[in-house]
Amino acid sequence: MLTIFEKILFIFAVVAALYYGYRNFAKVFHVIQRGKGEMIPQSEMIERGRKALQTWLTLSPTWKTRPVASIFHGLIAWGFIFYFLVNFGDVMEGMIPNFKFMGHGLLGQLYRFLADIFSLSVLLGMSYFLWRRFIERDPALGFRDNIKLMDKVKAGGIRQDSTIVGVFILLHVGFRVIGESFKIGVERTETGVGDAAQPLANGLSQLFWSDFSLEAQTIGWHMGWWVALGLILAFIPYFPYTKHFHLIMVAVNYFSKPKRTSLGALESIDFEDESIEEFGVAKLEDLPWTHLADAYSCIMCNRCQDVCPAYNTGKELSPAALEVNKRYYINENLDSLASGAESEFNLLDFAISESAVWACTACGACVDICPVGNEPMFDILYMRRHQVLMEDSFPTELGQAYRGMERNGNPWNQSANDRMAWAEGLTVPTIDENPDADVLWWVGCAPSYDPRAQKTAQSFAKILNHAGVNFAVLAEAETCTGDAARRTGNDYLYFELAQTNIEILNEVQPKRIVATCPHCLHSLGKEYGDLGGHYDVIHHTQLISELVAEKKLSYDVPAHERITFHDPCYLGRQNDIVDAPRDALRQGGVNIREMPRHGKQSFCCGAGGGQMWKEEEHGVGPDAGAVNENRYREAAATGADTVAVGCPFCLTMMTDASKAADDGVAVKDVAELIAENL
């Protein structure tokens, strides 16, 4: 137990720490509060809280990658979660005479055992991460020279932050164990019995302190208690500035994130609302408040960077650097931002380069992989909105695609009257000819106009007719869904296209829509709902699998043909359709050769986010190159004869890469493979 003087001193330290800590926490809160968007509806509080707590405790997103680092992170995270209770217990034991937190019984023994084990787990985990950053110098924790960084980050700010946090954790937990071991020594001297429930602390007591006098051991206990808890009190005011803040903010992040119909679904802009004068994001405070919270949730692990197609091909984009720069800018300007002052600079001035903004493929990999729920992809898409709608600034090549969508309803800028030219000689009924169709086939622009993708449409038409499906198409009434316009920031064009399509579809009232393009599927099924279009939309591989299950379709792909399947980002990751295309292939006897990155962890083909319609940004370093070539090399390395795809954009990108490699590997849509072997 502490002396009266120590108790008074501790209470004074607690008051001071809480006062200065409150001031700094309040500043961060005021900055986050300046972001756009509504607060959480009260009706969702309980369910959101339950899910956030579950995610916080299980660390579920952490286990997707880096298994070794994830295990050590778990050792630290679970240890520190339990340490909320441990620190409270230590305060109670120090302040109350002859008090044993949780008692001497079974519950108390279990508590002390867990405290001892978690102390060891934190020490091991933190030692691993310090070794990894400072001894091994894992390159995954750094940034390339062409990545835009705040000056303080360039000067080693992250390493400094990691050092402070790492040393704090080691000293806090280490001195807590030392203090507990001295305390056990005092109890052993007085009663002759140690504490077997704390194997680590008890062992230290027996090994090192057994010959110490009662007075020396008492001093050691007080020293350990003061250093362990004193470090907490000293750290509280500094806590909001550090990466350790993510321990709390990750729960806030998972509690506050907007509900999305899919991982990559964007919120719609109401262009009929005349009160809206600014579109998109230019300055920090223009971001949604949940995305300001992202900056403090970020643990700077760079996992998003690991999976980013742009970063992996040497370009200037790092989703991790974007979040880090946001955080350092806020910290450097915390007082002024908290008081309501406007940011001095735009995000493009300090957080991310313009080249990086346009290098994003909008694949969603960074959002999917983030262990703390950050959404850097959306920051980039919001910045594109501002660039296009407010600044009229975008890559010149996109202008032609925009004009095509505006004038002819397709980014190829070909005549709307030619939309059905691909179906010449095939039985493809229109909705006017077959108004009672069970399935409305949304063909899409690429299968309608792109010569290579037209083969997919022709193959799928053969499959539908072979299986006796009662289907129809909109023909010339179909127009672009606007995905490419929206992902490149031209939301107004998307809005106009979507309204046109919704008006037609609501008149037709399709029972079901099948799409041959995952981008069309995503827009129709996940984003049109905001504008009044609610439809049951499936992918063509899903329909094929259903037809096989209903014994309406059979086919047999030659057993000698080695096939690997490339998961389109907007099919697998963003719409969770992973099994259907594989089932469709396996039902034809195909033994699929999986790539290392497959399913929801697939690597982008490089066409998403409007990249299909513009020149790809140049990269630097040994990995510099085109995204599609990077992905194709992975596919070819499986030894496959054919790369199967389920998206017309992927078909184009992988075909181009295959031609460049000239190694004889074919690229075909799943529908083509099946139609060939009916």
Side-chain angles (χ1 to χ4, degrees):
M1 129 183 133
L2 302 180
T3 65
I4 294 295
F5 172 75
E6 286 179 306
K7 291 179 182 179
I8 295 173
L9 181 61
F10 182 73
I11 292 172
F12 175 80
V14 168
V15 171
L18 292 179
Y19 170 72
Y20 287 105
Y22 168 77
R23 289 182 58 182
N24 290 338
F25 278 99
K27 290 176 185 176
V28 172
F29 173 76
H30 289 317
V31 172
I32 292 175
Q33 199 177 33
R34 292 187 62 187
K36 309 298 182 184
E38 299 178 355
M39 294 295 106
I40 308 301
Q42 286 189 348
S43 60
E44 299 179 8
M45 290 285 189
I46 294 177
E47 180 60 19
R48 280 175 172 264
R50 184 191 65 78
K51 289 184 178 179
L53 180 63
Q54 178 183 329
T55 305
W56 188 60
L57 291 175
T58 62
L59 311 176
S60 53
T62 306
W63 308 104
K64 294 179 180 178
T65 184
R66 297 185 186 175
V68 174
S70 296
I71 290 171
F72 281 106
H73 180 266
L75 295 179
I76 297 174
W78 290 319
F80 252 88
I81 290 171
F82 192 76
Y83 250 65
F84 284 114
L85 182 63
V86 170
N87 289 326
F88 176 75
D90 288 348
V91 170
M92 297 294 288
E93 290 188 356
M95 300 296 283
I96 302 175
N98 303 317
F99 178 75
K100 193 76 169 178
F101 188 64
M102 297 285 185
H104 294 275
L106 184 61
L107 180 61
Q109 291 176 6
L110 176 61
Y111 158 73
R112 292 193 297 279
F113 175 75
L114 291 176
D116 199 65
I117 293 301
F118 278 126
S119 295
L120 179 61
S121 77
V122 171
L123 292 171
L124 288 174
M126 198 67 250
S127 297
Y128 165 79
F129 282 113
L130 288 173
W131 172 82
R132 181 167 170 248
R133 182 173 288 277
F134 295 105
I135 306 301
E136 183 186 355
R137 294 179 179 269
D138 190 337
L141 299 177
F143 303 104
R144 273 197 318 271
D145 291 340
N146 68 334
I147 300 300
K148 192 167 197 167
L149 298 170
M150 293 278 291
D151 289 341
K152 193 170 182 179
V153 180
K154 288 181 182 178
I158 295 177
R159 290 172 63 86
Q160 177 182 322
D161 190 17
S162 298
T163 302
I164 293 171
V165 171
V167 170
F168 156 71
I169 291 175
L170 289 179
L171 291 179
H172 167 58
V173 176
F175 271 94
R176 195 268 168 187
V177 173
I178 291 172
E180 197 67 16
S181 69
F182 273 116
K183 180 184 173 186
I184 292 172
V186 170
E187 293 172 350
R188 182 184 290 109
T189 301
E190 293 177 340
T191 65
V193 181
D195 190 354
Q198 301 186 75
L200 176 60
N202 195 58
L204 287 175
S205 175
Q206 290 178 315
L207 285 173
F208 299 107
W209 325 133
S210 57
D211 294 332
F212 281 37
S213 66
L214 178 61
E215 181 182 3
Q217 293 190 73
T218 301
I219 293 172
W221 170 40
H222 283 240
M223 177 194 69
W225 189 94
W226 268 106
V227 173
L229 292 174
L231 281 169
I232 288 286
L233 297 178
F235 197 69
I236 286 175
Y238 181 61
F239 189 60
Y241 293 92
T242 73
K243 64 191 293 184
H244 200 45
F245 195 19
H246 83 277
L247 181 66
I248 295 173
M249 291 303 295
V250 62
V252 174
N253 233 18
Y254 277 107
F255 177 75
S256 65
K257 277 293 176 280
K259 287 187 175 181
R260 302 187 188 278
T261 52
S262 78
L263 176 144
L266 277 161
E267 307 90 342
S268 293
I269 298 175
D270 184 2
F271 287 97
E272 295 177 352
D273 184 352
E274 297 180 357
S275 66
I276 303 176
E277 297 180 353
E278 291 281 334
F279 300 107
V281 166
K283 293 181 178 292
L284 192 78
E285 56 269 28
D286 296 334
L287 286 167
W289 68 270
T290 56
H291 287 216
L292 293 178
D294 283 355
Y296 286 97
S297 300
C298 181
I299 192 177
M300 309 180 194
C301 64
N302 290 5
R303 293 183 185 217
C304 55
Q305 182 174 279
D306 286 350
V307 297
C308 176
Y311 189 86
N312 274 269
T313 51
K315 298 170 181 64
E316 294 181 13
L317 173 58
S318 164
L322 170 60
E323 298 298 347
V324 170
N325 286 334
K326 283 161 57 180
R327 183 200 202 110
Y328 273 80
Y329 183 84
I330 294 172
N331 283 346
E332 287 184 11
N333 300 275
L334 190 58
D335 289 338
S336 62
L337 290 172
S339 65
E342 188 176 333
S343 295
E344 186 178 353
F345 300 103
N346 286 348
L347 286 163
L348 286 174
D349 295 325
F350 68 87
I352 187 171
S353 70
E354 189 168 359
S355 173
V357 165
W358 291 107
C360 176
T361 65
C363 68
C366 58
V367 178
D368 177 67
I369 205 69
C370 182
V372 296
N374 285 356
E375 297 181 330
M377 178 187 78
F378 289 94
D379 287 9
I380 292 170
L381 296 182
Y382 297 153
M383 282 187 265
R384 286 182 176 181
R385 279 179 174 175
H386 186 271
Q387 289 297 101
V388 174
L389 299 177
M390 304 305 298
E391 303 293 336
D392 196 29
S393 174
F394 49 85
T396 55
E397 307 97 328
L398 290 176
Q400 183 175 349
Y402 291 160
R403 286 190 293 273
M405 286 183 268
E406 288 169 356
R407 297 171 182 173
N408 290 308
N410 68 86
W412 274 265
N413 203 11
Q414 294 185 32
S415 172
N417 295 327
D418 295 334
R419 187 169 274 271
M420 287 295 291
W422 64 270
E424 187 176 348
L426 297 172
T427 303
V428 182
T430 67
I431 197 67
D432 291 333
E433 297 166 344
N434 185 20
D436 296 321
D438 294 328
V439 176
L440 176 67
W441 174 16
W442 190 275
V443 181
C445 297
S448 297
Y449 293 105
D450 179 72
R452 179 64 190 88
Q454 284 176 344
K455 295 180 181 178
T456 299
Q458 292 160 355
S459 296
F460 190 53
K462 292 176 183 177
I463 292 170
L464 293 176
N465 285 314
H466 185 87
V469 176
N470 179 19
F471 76 99
V473 299
L474 289 178
E476 287 81 4
E478 180 184 296
T479 192
C480 182
T481 61
D483 167 81
R486 187 167 218 204
R487 261 70 198 171
T488 56
N490 197 339
D491 273 66
Y492 184 72
L493 176 55
Y494 161 80
F495 181 75
E496 290 189 317
L497 292 168
Q499 283 192 316
T500 299
N501 286 325
I502 290 170
E503 184 178 346
I504 293 170
L505 288 172
N506 286 351
E507 182 179 343
V508 171
Q509 294 185 338
K511 300 172 186 175
R512 206 179 193 195
I513 298 174
V514 61
T516 35
C517 174
H519 296 264
C520 295
L521 175 145
H522 185 83
S523 295
L524 293 167
K526 304 299 183 181
E527 297 189 334
Y528 274 21
D530 283 354
L531 302 174
H534 302 278
Y535 315 110
D536 179 11
V537 189
I538 62 170
H539 190 243
H540 69 292
T541 58
Q542 290 177 297
L543 182 57
I544 290 170
S545 293
E546 289 179 10
L547 294 173
V548 174
E550 294 168 0
K551 301 189 182 306
K552 295 180 178 178
L553 191 66
S554 64
Y555 44 92
D556 187 13
V557 179
H560 62 80
E561 190 164 4
R562 297 167 296 185
I563 296 173
T564 188
F565 180 70
H566 160 74
D567 293 88
C569 299
Y570 278 70
L571 190 66
R573 185 180 304 110
Q574 302 220 26
N575 283 281
D576 203 22
I577 301 172
V578 172
D579 295 331
R582 288 172 170 77
D583 290 343
L585 290 170
R586 290 187 179 117
Q587 286 159 353
V590 174
N591 183 17
I592 299 172
R593 298 189 171 202
E594 295 287 11
M595 288 180 258
R597 297 175 291 188
H598 64 275
K600 295 186 74 173
Q601 276 67 59
S602 178
F603 192 73
C604 186
C605 74
Q611 302 299 323
M612 181 80 173
W613 312 107
K614 56 180 278 296
E615 289 296 322
E616 190 170 335
E617 281 71 20
H618 295 293
V620 300
D623 298 322
V627 175
N628 64 329
E629 292 174 356
N630 181 300
R631 181 57 167 169
Y632 176 77
R633 286 194 296 270
E634 185 177 359
T638 64
D641 303 307
T642 301
V643 179
V645 299
C647 170
F649 288 174
C650 296
L651 181 67
T652 296
M653 301 302 282
M654 297 298 278
T655 298
D656 289 348
S658 176
K659 289 179 179 178
D662 194 23
D663 53 8
V665 177
V667 180
K668 297 179 181 179
D669 189 273
V670 172
E672 291 182 88
L673 282 165
I674 291 171
E676 290 170 1
N677 296 282
L678 288 173

